[in-house]
Amino acid sequence: MRRPFFEEIEKIPFVGVESNEGLGYRYYDEGRVVAGRSMKDHLRMAVCYWHTFCWPGDDVFGDGAFERPWQAANGDPIALAEEKLSVAFEFFEKLGLPFFCFHDRDLAPEGQSSAESVRILDAFAEKAAAEMERTGVALLWGTANLFGHPRYAAGAATNPDPEVFAYAAGQVKHCLEVTKRLGGANYVMWGGREGYDTLLNTDLRREADQLGRFMNLVVEHKHRIGFDGTLLIEPKPHEPTKHQYDHDVATLHSFLQRYGLEGEIRANVEVNHATLAGNSFHHEIATAIASDFLGSVDANRGDPQNGWDTDQFPNDVAELALALYEILGAGGLGTGGFNFDAKLRRQSLDPIDLFHAHVGGVDTLAHALLVAADLRKGGDLERFVAERYSGWDETFGREILDGKHSLADLATRVATSGVDPHPRSGRQEMLENLVRSRVHSAR
Ligand code: XLS
Ligand code: NI
Ligand code: NI
């Protein structure tokens, strides 16, 4: 394989919004301080290992369309994974983002036995550590692939067979330890097949309890080994299952409460999963923040015409600006960041397309951050909302919330003291205009 692989590409420069030529960031100027923090520290962006380096460009109707030397059909899996690792870090360096994310099976091929898989992953973790040291690229999160192998066809933790549960537990234990070793800021659990294909063969009550037990075991192990990153669950309503238990942020929150996991696990919200669940991304982010458990973001979007996870790079500034507006209001993402869990279109064959895709996604986020910061700075939305609810800060409103009035009290008050509320305009169109004008003016 030729080295460097992306021979014709230099490190992506910041060229500024006026520039129209070549590959360069128009909005993402990593050191630029916005709302008290550098763009780099606000966004904490990550490249995902799986779609970017492991996906061969296949779909359910067609074969792999890409020619990536490290995906050669008859090569030695270990040597190929080594090549993939070196190409990946070349890419991270040239793109200039601070983080990456991986599944255990992206980094290292699965062995003949679980013991062999552990040995292989340990060896690759060491190689990754050396590359991280050399390049300064850090790990946003690690995760275990509990959905690819046929043993997980009926779920991992929610499998009818406890031996599959045990197998998955072993895999997560090891991947969590590897993530800790690599200084990962978070550890993600996406319930790929934790759901069902048909209720005719499914015991919902048992599966919920199994999933609750599994997550408690992960939390215990995290504390046992002293992993100080954040545990995250990534909700999704379906695909590949007909129904996935972590349907959306609100469903996840009730699950965490039910199994005593609140305060231990936060949400990794994916744009595409939000819209698949019939929610907007803005809704999912605001809901997670309202329950104090937003953790991190997968920034890939869907296509409004398709009912599946198309994993496209973000390109909608307005959509992301509203989410970032909420995130700024909440003081940021903490250990989380924005991961591009996104893939090319199958016809985007060339390695350079990987750069075009990421540069566009990065700039969309950076532009959205500027819009969100302007909205916060102007303070109009905040003032409008505060004013709209101001009655609840006054004596009567506070007394209601403090439990000082029964239903009967309130009825009496209305009947005797002439309570006669008048509706007030919600000014939705005015507020939408305000957001739109910031989208156009932010630079
Ligand atoms: C799939 C998920 C997956 C998780 C990591 O839809 O988005 O990629 O982010 O397992
Ligand atoms: Ni997804
Ligand atoms: Ni994801």
Side-chain angles (χ1 to χ4, degrees), residues 278-417:
N279 299 319
S280 67
F281 178 51
H282 189 190
H283 167 94
E284 288 291 82
I285 291 291
T287 302
I289 288 173
S291 294
D292 293 319
F293 83 125
L294 178 63
S296 197
V297 171
D298 274 9
N300 45 300
R301 68 181 165 101
D303 181 302
Q305 272 173 259
N306 291 335
W308 66 91
D309 204 4
T310 60
D311 288 326
Q312 288 172 255
F313 283 83
N315 68 352
D316 186 338
V317 174
E319 179 181 46
L320 292 174
L322 293 175
L324 273 157
Y325 175 79
E326 305 294 341
I327 292 169
L328 289 182
L333 280 175
T335 63
F338 282 85
N339 169 43
F340 294 106
D341 185 358
K343 58 175 183 267
L344 296 174
R345 296 309 83 194
R346 188 161 173 263
Q347 297 180 62
S348 302
L349 298 176
D350 299 334
I352 198 172
D353 291 315
L354 287 171
F355 282 92
H356 287 299
H358 281 87
V359 166
V362 168
D363 264 347
T364 303
L365 271 169
H367 189 179
L369 174 64
L370 295 175
V371 176
D374 279 1
L375 283 168
R376 281 280 159 209
K377 198 163 158 209
D380 308 270
L381 292 176
E382 254 162 309
R383 272 192 300 278
F384 187 85
V385 174
E387 163 58 25
R388 193 159 181 248
Y389 290 86
S390 56
W392 290 98
D393 296 329
E394 288 158 18
T395 314
F396 181 45
R398 281 207 312 270
E399 282 176 4
I400 294 177
L401 291 184
D402 292 346
K404 303 235 161 76
H405 298 290
S406 67
L407 213 57
D409 276 355
L410 292 171
T412 309
R413 186 167 174 132
V414 171
T416 60
S417 9

Side-chain angles (χ1 to χ4, degrees), residues 158 189-196 204 208 211 215 233-239 241-256 267-281 283-284 287 293 307 309:
T158 62
M189 291 165 288
W190 168 55
R193 294 185 195 271
E194 310 296 19
Y196 62 79
L204 285 179
L211 194 57
M215 292 306 165
I233 291 183
E234 183 176 321
K236 183 174 182 179
H238 51 251
E239 194 209 5
T241 57
K242 169 187 168 72
H243 174 90
Q244 189 180 294
Y245 299 132
D246 309 316
H247 194 268
D248 62 1
V249 166
T251 312
L252 173 59
H253 191 242
S254 324
F255 168 82
L256 296 179
N268 184 39
V269 180
E270 180 167 306
V271 182
N272 206 157
H273 298 178
T275 49
L276 282 179
N279 299 319
S280 67
F281 178 51
H283 167 94
E284 288 291 82
T287 302
F293 83 125
D309 204 4

